């Protein structure tokens, strides 16, 4: 065939290079991708590219699609192994078939599940019973509400607490992102005239999950349990969420004091999203007479800046009490051993002398738990130990304002928030300066919290808060200084790498159409979770 004639012949889809097909597919809207790939696979059946792309990302939106996909993949395990992203966006499905479908997918990277009233806790237990290696993203959105009154879930105790327990038993793996969301009950979704099923009954499993091997490297957590006080369960154990950077607790019951305790113990958090949380009462009429309508926002800023002071104070008191109890018990044991070694006096013993007592032992007489920490990690008797408070790492806090906020009100709120933050940082700097003087004069031993991943940091998970577990000595006078500029200083101490600029405050709420501040937590969450719920 002449080359001029071949050059005039149109190219077919079969002859297109793989790179060009992939570039074309990349332009298709996500909602249309599956239909388009299915049509493409029919147009060029001899090309394996379209088939590979068709099964790489699966999104199901209708009930019957679950069984159809199961039947297709059951007979084609090679196609099941191609699935990397699986999204179920349907509230009514056959949960048993869905569990069987999940068992066919060995190579998932991203998993999104809508958990409706057809799901029982046993279904999710079976799905998450065994660890799924390679999984990087897990999202579960719960909407268990029913249209007719039924008390089956209450009588059976059918709650999804066991799902959290199952995840907490996973072996360590790199799971950066986890989302567990319960949709708030709304009359538009289901009747509110009777008691609707609960998703979680006990919140203690959150404590197990927070300190589990699975969450050791977890960086992004969205945990929404409407109107429930979940904060204290997230830091009840040492070394909880050591790598967490973003935390979304929208719709949950979170107060200023909850945030203080959270940031005191999970100090790695950079971004907080708290839409619909009663962080402040939002009632300005209470402070109007005093001329401070946004006083609570100043208190919020100050509390966030001083979270490290609270933790240092708590640890210092606990250490002092533990050391005193340790040496008191040691002295009592030594006295007891010395007394038992003395010979008894000769003669008849009084018959009226009781050999036992019915009185309960006083708290001072009770022995302390077994000491497992090495002796060199116990301060000497009488040594005064002070704990250096850590600098805050928070960069952004995003929440919502009832009824929206005007530009004038936002400006006033932001000024109060920044004033509170500056006041907190000034107090923190003053405390650290006094401790520096104490350190230089040799009045007390100064320790700080150990860096994540060090031997001293891991001690806390093994020995709890015995002795100096989780603490290291301050050996450099520069460690007391605070970096008030929001950039890293080369060669500086770990504390010096933390800029203390006031966190970004956004009050626009979860809607993308709102007037969001640049770099706010809402935008960060959209990019990470790839949705706007």
């Amino acid at each position: 065939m002449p080359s001029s004639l071949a050059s005039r012949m149109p190219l077919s889809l079969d002859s297109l290079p793989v790179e060009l097909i992939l570039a074309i597919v990349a332009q298709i809207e996500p909602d249309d991708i599956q239909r388009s790939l299915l049509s493409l696979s029919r147009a060029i059946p001899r090309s394996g590219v379209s088939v590979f792309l068709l099964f790489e990302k699966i999104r199901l939106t209708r009930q019957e699609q679950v069984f159809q996909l199961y039947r297709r993949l059951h007979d084609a395990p090679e196609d099941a192994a191609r699935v990397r992203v699986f999204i179920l966006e349907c509230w009514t499905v056959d949960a048993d078939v869905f569990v069987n479908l999940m068992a066919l997918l060995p190579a998932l990277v991203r998993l999104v599940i809508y958990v409706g009233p057809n799901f029982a806790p046993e279904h999710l237990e079976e799905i998450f019973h065994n660890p799924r290696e390679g999984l990087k993203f897990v999202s579960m959105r719960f909407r268990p509400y029913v249209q007719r009154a039924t008390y089956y879930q209450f009588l059976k105790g059918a709650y999804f607490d066991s799902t959290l327990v199952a995840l907490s038993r996973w072996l360590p793996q790199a799971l950066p992102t986890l989302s567990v969301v319960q949709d708030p009950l709304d009359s538009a979704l289901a009747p509110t005239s009777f008691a609707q099923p609960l998703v979680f009954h006990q919140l203690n499993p959150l404590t197990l999950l927070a300190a589990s091997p699975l969450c050791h490297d977890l960086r992004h957590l969205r945990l929404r349990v409407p109107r429930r006080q979940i904060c204290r369960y997230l830091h009840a154990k040492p070394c909880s969420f050591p790598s967490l950077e973003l935390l979304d607790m929208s719709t949950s019951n979170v107060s200023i004091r909850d945030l203080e305790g959270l940031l005191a113990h999970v100090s790695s958090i950079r971004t907080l999203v708290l839409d619909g949380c009663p962080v402040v009462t939002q009632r300005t009429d209470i402070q109007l007479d005093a001329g401070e309508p946004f006083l609570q926002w100043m208190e919020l800023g100050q509390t966030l800046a001083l979270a490290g002071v609270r933790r240092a104070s708590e640890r210092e008191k606990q250490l002092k009490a533990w050391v005193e109890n340790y040496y008191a018990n040691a002295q009592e044991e030594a006295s007891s051993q010395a007394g038992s070694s003395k010979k008894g006096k000769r003669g008849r013993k009084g018959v009226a002398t009781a050999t036992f007592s019915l009185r309960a032992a006083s708290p001072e007489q009770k022995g302390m738990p077994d000491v497992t920490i090495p002796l060199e990690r116990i301060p000497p008797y009488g040594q005064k130990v002070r704990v250096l408070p850590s600098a805050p790492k928070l960069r952004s806090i995003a929440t919502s304002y009832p009824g929206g906020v005007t530009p004038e009100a936002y400006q006033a709120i932001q000024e109060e928030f920044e004033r509170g933050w500056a006041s907190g940082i000034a107090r923190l700097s003053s405390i650290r300066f006094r401790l520096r003087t104490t350190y230089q004069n040799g009045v007390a031993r100064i320790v700080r919290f150990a860096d994540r991943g060090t031997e001293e940091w891991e001690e806390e998970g093994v020995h709890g808060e015995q002795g100096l577990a989780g603490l290291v000595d301050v050996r450099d006078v520069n460690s007391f200084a605070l970096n008030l500029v929001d950039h890293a200083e080369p060669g500086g101490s770990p504390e010096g790498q933390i800029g203390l600029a006031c966190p970004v405050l956004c009050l626009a709420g979860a809607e993308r159409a709102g007037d969001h501040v640049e770099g706010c937590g809402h935008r960060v969450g959209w990019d990470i979770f790839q949705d706007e719920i």
Side-chain angles (χ1 to χ4, degrees):
M1 179 183 295
S3 59
S4 59
L5 180 59
S7 62
R8 291 195 299 269
M9 293 182 64
L11 291 174
S12 64
L13 287 174
D14 285 333
S15 61
L16 291 178
V18 173
E19 294 80 5
L20 186 54
I21 294 178
L22 294 175
I24 295 173
V25 171
Q27 306 303 316
I28 303 175
E29 293 293 332
D31 293 340
D32 301 327
I33 187 70
Q34 281 188 271
R35 290 194 298 269
S36 301
L37 287 174
L38 184 59
S39 300
L40 186 61
S41 65
R42 292 169 179 169
I44 47 175
R46 289 177 294 178
S47 173
V49 177
S50 57
V51 176
F52 175 81
L53 295 175
L54 180 63
F55 288 100
E56 184 181 27
K57 179 179 180 180
I58 293 179
R59 178 171 173 262
L60 306 183
T61 57
R62 299 193 308 275
Q63 177 178 347
E64 64 275 9
Q65 290 178 317
V66 175
F67 179 71
Q68 293 170 359
L69 181 63
Y70 169 76
R71 187 172 56 183
R72 171 69 172 81
L73 296 182
H74 184 269
D75 298 329
E78 67 280 1
D79 290 335
R82 294 190 176 107
V83 180
R84 298 293 182 268
V85 178
F86 186 92
I87 302 173
L88 174 67
E89 294 180 346
C90 180
W91 294 110
T92 306
V93 298
D94 188 324
D96 293 321
V97 176
F98 181 76
V99 171
N100 294 333
L101 174 59
M102 287 291 98
L104 301 177
L105 308 178
L108 285 177
V109 175
R110 185 181 183 91
L111 176 61
V112 178
I113 307 175
Y114 280 21
V115 183
N118 295 66
F119 277 87
E122 294 77 13
H123 293 122
L124 291 186
E125 283 182 53
E126 187 169 350
I127 292 174
F128 295 111
H129 181 267
N130 295 319
R132 291 177 172 268
E133 295 184 7
L135 199 59
K136 303 297 183 184
F137 183 102
V138 176
S139 176
M140 292 174 283
R141 184 177 179 184
F142 293 86
R143 190 184 289 180
Y145 312 123
V146 295
Q147 300 300 320
R148 295 181 180 179
T150 174
Y151 297 99
Y152 170 77
Q153 288 86 351
F154 296 101
L155 295 174
K156 185 184 177 183
Y159 309 111
F160 289 91
D161 306 14
S162 57
T163 303
L164 303 178
V165 175
L167 289 174
S168 67
R169 292 171 178 165
W170 281 21
L171 297 175
Q173 70 178 66
L175 178 69
T177 307
L178 175 63
S179 174
V180 181
V181 174
Q182 177 185 348
D183 284 0
L185 177 60
D186 188 278
S187 57
L189 299 177
T192 57
S193 56
F194 55 84
Q196 290 283 353
L198 297 175
V199 174
F200 302 112
H201 181 242
Q202 298 289 339
L203 297 178
N204 294 329
L206 290 175
T207 300
L208 296 176
L209 182 65
S212 67
L214 177 67
C215 292
H216 187 273
D217 295 314
L218 186 72
R219 296 173 55 204
H220 316 121
L221 173 63
R222 181 167 60 182
L223 179 63
R224 300 181 182 178
V225 188
R227 299 182 299 277
R228 300 288 298 274
Q229 295 179 333
I230 62 175
C231 236
R232 64 176 180 268
Y233 296 96
L234 303 182
H235 58 82
K237 282 190 173 184
C239 304
S240 295
F241 296 122
S243 305
L244 193 63
E245 297 178 4
L246 180 144
L247 177 60
D248 182 339
M249 296 184 291
S250 299
T251 73
S252 306
N253 189 350
V254 181
S255 66
I256 290 181
R257 296 303 158 214
D258 291 330
L259 291 181
E260 183 182 28
L262 174 72
L263 294 178
H265 295 88
V266 190
S267 58
S268 59
I269 295 177
R270 302 296 202 271
T271 304
L272 281 171
V273 182
L274 304 167
D275 292 323
C277 298
V279 179
V280 297
T281 64
Q282 314 287 1
R283 290 188 58 188
T284 61
D285 57 310
I286 299 178
Q287 291 95 13
L288 276 176
D289 295 337
E292 297 284 353
F294 303 113
L295 186 63
Q296 293 180 65
W297 293 98
M298 187 198 73
E299 181 185 357
L300 175 62
Q302 187 178 55
T303 300
L304 297 179
L306 291 173
V309 174
R310 169 176 168 171
R311 184 188 180 195
S313 177
E314 290 177 350
R315 187 67 178 91
E316 194 173 293
K317 291 178 181 178
Q318 190 278 334
L319 174 62
K320 180 181 179 182
W322 189 92
V323 170
E324 290 177 352
N325 195 21
Y326 170 79
Y327 283 108
N329 278 272
Q331 184 177 6
E332 184 177 348
E333 289 181 4
S335 300
S336 176
Q337 292 175 359
S340 63
S341 62
K342 295 180 179 179
K343 295 182 179 180
K345 295 182 179 180
R346 294 182 179 182
R348 181 180 178 185
K349 297 182 180 180
V351 295
T353 303
T355 58
F356 62 90
S357 173
L358 296 178
R359 295 180 180 178
S362 63
E364 292 78 7
Q365 294 173 329
K366 292 182 179 179
M368 65 187 304
D370 293 338
V371 178
T372 59
I373 196 167
L375 294 178
E376 61 268 18
R377 297 290 289 150
I378 300 176
Y381 180 76
Q383 185 181 63
K384 187 176 182 180
V385 182
R386 300 294 306 275
V387 179
L388 182 70
S390 302
K393 299 179 182 178
L394 190 66
R395 292 290 180 272
S396 172
I397 178 170
T399 184
S400 55
Y401 197 88
V405 58
T406 63
E408 294 77 14
Y410 173 76
Q411 182 65 27
I413 291 173
Q414 184 181 33
E415 290 176 359
E416 289 298 309
F417 181 75
E418 292 177 351
R419 183 160 69 99
W421 177 269
S423 173
I425 294 300
R427 181 181 168 190
L428 173 64
S429 180
S430 175
I431 293 173
R432 291 169 67 102
F433 179 79
R434 290 198 301 269
L435 290 176
R436 174 182 177 177
T437 303
T438 300
Y439 171 79
Q440 291 176 322
N441 294 335
V443 176
R445 179 180 183 179
I446 309 298
V447 297
R448 63 173 177 84
F449 293 100
D451 297 327
R452 173 181 173 269
T454 61
E455 292 183 5
E456 294 83 0
W457 178 84
E458 292 177 350
E459 283 178 346
E460 212 171 6
V462 178
H463 307 291
E465 293 184 335
Q466 297 182 21
L468 294 171
L471 300 171
V472 294
D473 287 303
V474 174
R475 302 186 182 279
D476 185 0
V477 70
N478 294 324
S479 299
F480 295 91
L482 289 176
N483 175 24
L484 301 180
V485 183
D486 196 12
H487 61 77
E489 296 180 358
S493 65
E495 290 285 351
Q497 304 298 318
I498 303 167
L500 298 179
C502 183
V504 174
L505 176 65
C506 181
L507 305 177
E511 298 294 331
R512 189 180 287 268
D515 188 12
H516 293 273
V517 181
E518 185 66 28
C520 77
H522 295 118
R523 298 179 185 272
V524 177
W526 295 335
D527 293 338
I528 292 173
F529 298 106
Q530 298 183 15
D531 59 35
E532 298 177 26
I533 62 174

